[in-house]
Amino acid sequence: MNLGFFLTFTYINTFKMENIIQTSNLNFHYSKHKSIIENLSINVPKGSIYGFLGPNGAGKSTTMRLLTGIIPDDKNAIKIFGSELNEQIPFIFSKIGALVESPALYLHLSGYNNLLYIAKVKNINPDKIDEVLELVELTYAKNQKAKQYSLGMKQRLAIAMALLGEPELLFLDEPVNGLDPNGIVEIRKLLIKINKEKGVTIFVSSHLLSEIEKMCTHIGIIAKGKLKFEGTMNQLSTSFNTCKIEITIDNASDWQKKLNENGVKTQLNEANKIAVLLNTKEEIPTFIKKLINEGALLYEVKILEGLEEWFMNLIEN
């Protein structure tokens, strides 16, 4: 047997990424005339941090409730761990953790006793509590009542409750909502840590694009109940064949008019700032040189790219 072929074959099979969540033409509507989710087909790779993005009212929370069984899936369009979700309820809840609604904490109890209550309800070994508290960095406050916790600490305690059963899959709906910048960074670092150290697949919805960009390996973008994009961050960046720049220039409104007359697509962002759409980045030097030769007073040239820019392009179009 060719050893080289065997090693290659083993490597490919070992690292082939399977999907832990799959939906096939998932639909949901509260009334006949108002569709919330329309033909939604998503694929969440095992071991990923999957960011689920969309504007308010796009259907993110409804999708999360369908995936966690809070809202029944009548058409069996959802598969988790390779099997239909409906076939696995309620046993599947031992393999998933979820923070979909606001954290349900017992404020009169300590952080430790909140977790002890969950352990007893779910028949989980209480020995896991200290391990989870250490993971979310709340060991120092485990005997402190939850009502004395900051918002960020309460959020970490809620995540600890979701992690207590050692889930393979974690659902989080807007986990940094209402947190200050320091709290947001803490939650982001925690989720990356859980993903890398514990191998937990994380499905997270959020409207904070900068955090998703720093944290997620894969993203899905939804607007008006329809999927607009799914893939890696790199795939998203390469899917845009144009280049958008912002120039800070004197007499911006006059220059915008001249550029539009010459067939250049522009948008006046604010005083002295124009967004200009070019075909490629390679066109930037020639474009800027031409402006200067025509007497333009330029102060700054900024390439507009990144998740926020791509996101806005997708949902607007």
Side-chain angles (χ1 to χ4, degrees), residues 209 213 240 244 267 275 277 303-314 316:
L209 303 183
E213 190 168 14
F240 287 90
K244 197 173 185 181
Q267 177 184 330
L277 190 65
I303 298 177
L304 298 177
E305 63 180 3
L307 183 54
E308 182 175 352
E309 189 66 29
W310 301 326
F311 175 81
M312 293 306 297
N313 268 281
L314 284 168
E316 287 173 359

Side-chain angles (χ1 to χ4, degrees), residues 235-260:
Q235 287 171 334
L236 178 59
S237 67
T238 56
S239 67
F240 287 90
N241 297 321
T242 56
C243 173
K244 197 173 185 181
I245 64 172
E246 183 180 74
I247 58 174
T248 305
I249 186 172
D250 265 352
N251 301 315
S253 57
D254 292 340
W255 281 105
Q256 185 198 21
K257 185 178 179 181
K258 290 179 184 178
L259 291 169
N260 288 344

Side-chain angles (χ1 to χ4, degrees), residues 180-283:
D180 61 24
N182 186 56
I184 290 171
V185 172
E186 286 179 355
I187 296 298
R188 184 218 312 158
K189 289 181 177 178
L190 171 61
L191 297 183
I192 293 173
K193 180 180 180 182
I194 292 167
N195 175 255
K196 288 187 175 179
E197 293 185 6
K198 299 294 182 178
V200 178
T201 303
I202 300 174
F203 185 95
V204 53
S205 77
S206 180
H207 64 278
L208 293 180
L209 303 183
S210 60
E211 285 306 304
I212 290 294
E213 190 168 14
K214 293 170 186 171
M215 175 175 60
C216 293
T217 59
H218 296 71
I219 60 170
I221 296 176
I222 186 175
K224 297 180 180 178
K226 297 180 180 180
L227 191 68
K228 298 295 183 179
F229 173 84
E230 182 180 71
T232 64
M233 290 295 300
N234 185 56
Q235 287 171 334
L236 178 59
S237 67
T238 56
S239 67
F240 287 90
N241 297 321
T242 56
C243 173
K244 197 173 185 181
I245 64 172
E246 183 180 74
I247 58 174
T248 305
I249 186 172
D250 265 352
N251 301 315
S253 57
D254 292 340
W255 281 105
Q256 185 198 21
K257 185 178 179 181
K258 290 179 184 178
L259 291 169
N260 288 344
E261 288 172 352
N262 284 283
V264 180
K265 294 181 180 179
T266 67
Q267 177 184 330
L268 193 62
N269 287 351
E270 53 183 276
N272 295 330
K273 292 183 184 290
I274 306 174
V276 180
L277 190 65
L278 302 175
N279 291 317
T280 64
K281 286 183 180 180
E282 287 69 28
E283 290 185 7

Side-chain angles (χ1 to χ4, degrees), residues 50-89:
Y50 185 102
F52 194 52
L53 306 176
N56 289 336
K60 301 190 303 298
S61 294
T62 300
T63 302
M64 187 79 77
R65 292 184 179 99
L66 284 160
L67 293 176
T68 53
I70 295 172
I71 298 175
D73 167 29
D74 298 331
K75 303 297 183 181
N76 291 323
I78 299 172
K79 285 186 177 181
I80 297 183
F81 305 119
S83 299
E84 290 179 1
L85 174 60
N86 289 338
E87 293 178 352
Q88 302 179 76
I89 293 175

Side-chain angles (χ1 to χ4, degrees), residues 113-124 161 164:
N113 284 335
N114 266 278
L115 289 166
L116 182 60
Y117 176 78
I118 297 297
K120 287 181 178 180
V121 168
K122 292 189 173 183
N123 197 27
I124 297 168
M161 293 165 76
L164 194 57

